[in-house]
């Protein structure tokens, strides 16, 4: 039996919203994603608060998340929805 499908595995990365580090402990990744940072996350961003006519910027934290995704693909020399021979 010759293999018709050769799925490509992709890793999708994303970061959660930037928030005060003290509030980031319980931040969860979206459904289907796995959190790869611990504790308060990574302190690599800034969040903004608006006060009347001023916007203040503060250092914040966010978590990194990953999701493995299989992209359907035909093996080399095959094509179409059923991955038939050329």
């Amino acid at each position: 039996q010759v293999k018709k499908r050769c799925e490509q595995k992709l890793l999708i990365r994303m970061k959660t919203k930037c928030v005060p580090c003290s509030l980031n402990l319980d931040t969860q990744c979206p459904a289907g994603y796995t959190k790869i940072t611990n504790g308060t996350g990574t302190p690599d961003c800034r969040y903004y608060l608006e006060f009347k006519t001023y916007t203040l910027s503060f250092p914040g934290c966010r978590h990194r998340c990953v999701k493995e995704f299989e992209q359907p693909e035909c093996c080399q020399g095959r094509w179409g929805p059923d991955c038939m021979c050329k």
Side-chain angles (χ1 to χ4, degrees):
Q1 173 89 9
V2 177
K3 203 170 162 187
K4 292 181 182 181
R5 301 201 75 78
C6 294
E7 266 55 350
Q8 278 292 94
K9 283 196 177 185
L10 302 174
L11 204 58
I12 301 169
R13 300 172 191 271
M14 60 92 55
K15 293 177 182 175
T16 58
K17 185 176 152 189
C18 188
V19 297
C21 295
S22 59
L23 300 178
N24 205 34
L25 277 168
D26 297 325
T27 298
Q28 297 299 313
C29 292
Y33 283 81
T34 303
K35 192 190 296 186
I36 59 170
T37 46
N38 297 316
T40 58
T42 309
D44 66 348
C45 61
R46 297 190 78 74
Y47 66 97
Y48 301 91
L49 293 177
E50 290 183 25
F51 291 105
K52 297 184 181 177
T53 58
Y54 298 100
T55 300
L56 301 176
S57 171
F58 298 97
C61 292
R62 55 189 173 179
H63 284 289
R64 291 192 182 125
C65 309
V66 294
K67 178 181 184 179
E68 198 172 90
F69 176 74
E70 276 196 358
Q71 171 127 0
E73 216 171 86
C74 295
C75 293
Q76 190 172 354
R78 297 191 173 265
W79 59 274
D82 297 323
C83 296
M84 302 305 287
C85 292
K86 283 187 177 177

